[in-house]
Amino acid sequence: MLALKIILSFAFICVFLQDYKDRQVYWFLFPAIGVLNGVLFYNSTLLELFFVASILNLVFVFFLIFILYVYAKFRLQTSMLNTIGLGDLLFFIAVTVTFSTLSFITLFICALIFSLILHIILIKKRTIITVPLAGYMSLFFLVCYIIQWSFNSINLYVL
């Protein structure tokens, strides 16, 4: 289990560094993050809870993507991929198998807020105006995992 945690941490760090520096992330990191997250969640919960939570999390993410699509198409009059990167969408899907639904929705929204705050702080030093959303969110999820792994009293798999 320790090896999975180390590999997952490394994958999150790679996504952050690649997205922040180049705005391009190796595609295989997204399925790796999804599988590693899924294995850790699966080993920490009941089979039924794993499947129900993963499906509900996926529905939540697809609902957000649909809202973004509608907003981009009708309000911004542009393609959705002009407003959000493909890597960001793949990261959203990869993290759907991370935690129970309540924990996932809470952490996902907190990750978006964290990304906004971090981007506002760091934009002064950058000339590129696009947001490395998958990178910022991977950093947030890495911190959440490290906190969970460090303190046994916090269990995000069952909330």
Side-chain angles (χ1 to χ4, degrees):
M1 204 55 66
L2 180 62
L4 293 178
K5 292 176 182 179
I6 291 171
I7 295 169
L8 179 62
S9 299
F10 182 71
F12 278 138
I13 291 169
C14 286
V15 169
F16 171 70
L17 292 175
Q18 289 176 4
D19 199 19
Y20 186 74
K21 286 176 57 181
D22 303 325
R23 298 298 193 272
Q24 294 180 354
V25 179
Y26 292 130
W27 67 270
F28 62 85
L29 289 172
F30 300 116
I33 287 173
V35 169
L36 293 168
N37 280 328
V39 169
L40 290 173
F41 183 28
Y42 177 81
N43 287 335
S44 300
T45 191
L46 299 171
L47 179 64
E48 295 83 13
L49 178 62
F50 172 77
F51 284 118
V52 169
S54 297
I55 290 169
L56 290 174
N57 295 348
L58 194 60
V59 167
F60 173 75
V61 166
F62 279 134
F63 178 72
L64 287 178
I65 292 171
F66 174 73
I67 295 297
L68 180 61
Y69 171 78
V70 170
Y71 184 78
K73 182 160 181 82
F74 296 110
R75 178 73 173 139
L76 300 177
Q77 302 289 322
T78 187
S79 167
M80 183 179 71
L81 291 178
N82 288 336
T83 59
I84 192 167
L86 182 60
D88 301 329
L89 298 175
L90 292 173
F91 185 80
F92 289 177
I93 294 168
V95 296
T96 57
V97 291
T98 52
F99 304 114
S100 66
T101 303
L102 183 59
S103 296
F104 174 75
I105 291 172
T106 304
L107 290 175
F108 193 87
I109 292 169
C110 288
L112 291 173
I113 294 169
F114 171 81
S115 300
L116 175 65
I117 292 169
L118 190 59
H119 185 68
I120 289 171
I121 292 170
L122 297 177
I123 191 68
K124 297 171 185 161
K125 300 175 182 166
R126 309 264 315 171
T127 57
I128 302 172
I129 60 170
T130 59
V131 179
L133 185 58
Y136 291 159
M137 288 182 76
S138 67
L139 186 63
F140 180 83
F141 275 99
L142 175 62
V143 169
C144 289
Y145 269 118
I146 289 172
I147 290 171
Q148 179 178 338
W149 296 334
S150 300
F151 302 104
N152 291 333
S153 62
I154 300 172
N155 190 354
L156 296 172
Y157 295 121
V158 294
L159 290 178

